[in-house]
Amino acid sequence: MSGVALAVAVVAGSFLAGSIPFGYLVPRFLRGLDIRGHGSRNPGATNVWRVLGPGPGVLVGLLDGAKGWLAVALAIRAGAGAALSVAAALAAVAGHSWTPWLAFRGGKGVITSAGAFLRLAWLPLAGAVVAFGVVFAATRMVSAGSIVAAVLFAVLTVVLPGPWRTPPVELAAGLIALLIVIRHRANISRILAGTEYRFGRKAAGR
């Protein structure tokens, strides 16, 4: 396979893998429920947990993380270099965030990003996960934890020594952080207004 053909196959395959809308499929399969009409209406693991409970929520989270990890793992196995492996990660996150199967509306990309970058920048990711846990424990807001974790991940990728200190990974980490912040802009508005959903409350129809 030529270099161009490999690049096209890796990026297209990663996008398609990322685009599998588990946050929509699992509630449909388990309850016949269209998650887009419930809770925050987002087809992601957090809203599935919020509406259906921890079991389905954890299942969706694992599947969303696995598809990001698998996209990068398969790219590396196919012989993709560092830059193309990073492109596979970004393509998987893009597929999740703008899945063509749901009119290009998908989840916010946090868990899929974590899965995709597990192979590429595990130590910065570990630091980001710790930060998420601390912020979530303090606020009970997944959105706040996700935003802080995404920004810190980008910073740690640049400052922590390791094989991730390369321009492709550092640039991708910055893009991922920017994407996650932008996709949480409505959450940021609610946080500032004091109306953001906190885990432990009864799910609302917002």
Side-chain angles (χ1 to χ4, degrees):
M1 184 180 292
S2 70
V4 173
L6 176 62
V8 171
V10 164
V11 171
S14 298
F15 181 86
L16 289 174
S19 74
I20 302 171
F22 290 116
Y24 172 81
L25 294 173
V26 169
R28 273 290 193 190
F29 179 76
L30 293 179
R31 305 282 180 86
L33 186 74
D34 186 344
I35 196 67
R36 296 173 298 175
H38 300 270
S40 67
R41 300 181 173 85
N42 183 265
T46 299
N47 194 40
V48 173
W49 181 313
R50 176 182 177 182
V51 174
L52 298 183
V58 169
L59 176 59
V60 171
L62 289 174
L63 291 171
D64 280 349
K67 68 187 184 184
W69 181 88
L70 186 62
V72 175
L74 290 178
I76 293 172
R77 188 173 182 84
L84 188 52
S85 298
V86 170
L90 292 175
V93 175
H96 175 80
S97 301
W98 296 286
T99 171
W101 317 118
L102 299 179
F104 294 96
R105 293 186 178 183
K108 295 180 179 177
V110 177
I111 297 177
T112 301
S113 296
F117 281 88
L118 184 60
R119 288 284 296 269
L120 301 173
W122 69 269
L123 187 55
L125 180 62
V129 170
V130 171
F132 172 87
V134 170
V135 174
F136 176 72
T139 65
R140 307 302 295 174
M141 291 186 288
V142 172
S143 57
S146 298
I147 293 164
V148 170
V151 173
L152 183 61
F153 173 67
V155 173
L156 292 178
T157 301
V158 174
V159 301
L160 288 179
W164 45 81
R165 297 257 323 249
T166 64
V169 176
E170 292 172 353
L171 176 60
L175 290 174
I176 288 295
L178 180 61
L179 171 67
I180 289 173
V181 170
I182 290 173
R183 291 187 68 79
H184 280 84
R185 58 191 182 279
N187 303 84
I188 293 171
S189 296
R190 291 195 294 267
I191 290 171
L192 295 175
T195 59
E196 176 66 331
Y197 173 76
R198 297 173 187 263
F199 260 72
R201 289 184 189 170
K202 183 178 179 180
R206 186 176 64 219

